[in-house]
Amino acid sequence: RLVKMACEGGSCGKSSRVNNGGLSLATSATSPTVVFDVYSDLACPWCYVGKDNLDAAISNFRKNGGSENIEVHWKPFMIDPATAKEGEEYMAYNRRRWGSDGWTYSLPGRRENTKFQNWKTWPNTLHAHRLMHLAEKKGGWQLQHRAKGILLRMVYEDGENISLVPTLVKAAEELGIEGAEKYLKSDEDVDLVKSEAREASRMGISGVPFFLAYRADLQHKPMTLSGAQPTKAFQQCINELCKK
């Protein structure tokens, strides 16, 4: 079932109710570990904002002397799987879905042209999620986190179409991932990524970005943050988890 998307108010999708069940992110093996599991779609501009705010919070935490390990694991979510396989032209997609792109001017930096400076395509993100999965297999969550930043930059700042395999191969080359072209041209992990995206919906997540934050070394109910939270909210979350 497709989710009717409304990209505003800090998230893409509907409000979520979850059935709980180049930064220095990690420091040492002996420190407690704070983990963020982030459900996100590369076709969601608020996910771009949310990642930047989370990165800023982690950077501030380090500057203030925080020594705990912090890991960020990106989970696939596909807001609109019906997007054309090769992506859709930016304005055409916005007109088809919402009548205009007026909603995008609530995005931080959009109106001032300091962010989202070259957004040309609304991508189909299936294969981009596969590249994210491959990055994690090749280099763990650290490489996956780098991949997320590169792919978001390509969509919103570089005017690239990450629906296309050649574009993703270029991203893989920037990441130093070998064998990406062969992988992306195959069907490997297609069903896995689709299944993981469906699992997010089964958990009750219908809007992204959505963050589950917890201490890996403790048994406790995760903290949840929905939408592109401000940097301060992420900092408070990290500080609270470190005190557990």
Side-chain angles (χ1 to χ4, degrees):
R1 184 175 63 85
L2 297 182
V3 174
K4 183 178 181 183
M5 182 172 60
C7 283
E8 54 191 4
S11 67
C12 292
K14 299 185 289 186
S15 59
S16 299
R17 295 179 181 176
V18 172
N19 302 319
N20 281 306
L23 287 169
S24 175
L25 298 175
T27 53
S28 73
T30 58
S31 296
T33 299
V34 173
V35 179
F36 285 88
D37 287 343
V38 190
Y39 294 84
S40 169
D41 193 359
L42 291 148
C44 169
W46 284 110
C47 292
Y48 181 26
V49 174
K51 180 186 180 298
D52 279 359
N53 290 350
L54 176 58
D55 284 349
I58 295 170
S59 180
N60 290 342
F61 178 71
R62 291 282 176 254
K63 289 175 183 176
N64 291 328
S67 61
E68 287 79 1
N69 294 315
I70 300 177
E71 298 183 5
V72 182
H73 298 264
W74 296 95
K75 309 293 184 179
F77 191 93
M78 294 185 70
I79 300 165
D80 185 6
T83 303
K85 290 182 178 180
E86 295 189 347
E88 301 182 36
E89 192 274 329
Y90 164 83
M91 187 56 76
Y93 186 91
N94 276 277
R95 285 174 177 159
R96 177 168 67 79
R97 293 299 301 271
W98 304 289
S100 75
D101 69 338
W103 66 271
T104 70
Y105 289 92
S106 65
L107 293 161
R110 172 70 162 156
R111 192 177 298 276
E112 299 82 5
N113 199 35
T114 58
K115 204 175 183 73
F116 303 98
Q117 295 185 47
N118 200 19
W119 182 6
K120 294 182 177 179
T121 305
W122 198 281
N124 182 305
T125 56
L126 173 61
H127 298 306
H129 283 306
R130 291 176 63 216
L131 180 59
M132 292 282 294
H133 181 75
L134 181 63
E136 185 177 33
K137 287 201 294 187
K138 294 283 190 179
W141 59 266
Q142 297 97 328
L143 188 62
Q144 188 197 46
H145 191 70
R146 280 190 59 213
K148 187 73 171 185
I150 287 169
L151 291 169
L152 288 168
R153 185 202 74 212
M154 289 177 115
V155 176
Y156 299 110
E157 309 299 347
D158 297 347
E160 299 273 14
N161 183 359
I162 63 167
S163 315
L164 306 177
V165 168
T167 305
L168 295 174
V169 170
K170 184 162 64 173
E173 290 172 350
E174 186 172 343
L175 289 160
I177 298 175
E178 297 181 358
E181 184 171 9
K182 181 180 179 181
Y183 171 83
L184 291 165
K185 287 183 175 179
S186 74
D187 292 329
E188 187 176 349
D189 293 330
V190 168
D191 290 340
L192 174 64
V193 167
K194 288 181 177 179
S195 176
E196 288 182 348
R198 288 193 297 268
E199 178 61 24
S201 297
R202 286 192 290 268
M203 289 173 62
I205 297 172
S206 55
V208 290
F210 191 89
F211 304 81
L212 291 174
Y214 56 94
R215 278 272 296 275
D217 55 314
L218 298 176
Q219 292 290 329
H220 67 97
K221 183 178 178 180
M223 298 176 66
T224 62
L225 299 93
S226 182
Q229 297 291 317
T231 296
K232 184 178 180 180
F234 288 122
Q235 289 178 232
Q236 291 173 341
C237 176
I238 293 168
N239 291 335
E240 185 171 337
L241 287 170
C242 288
K243 292 175 183 176
K244 284 187 176 290

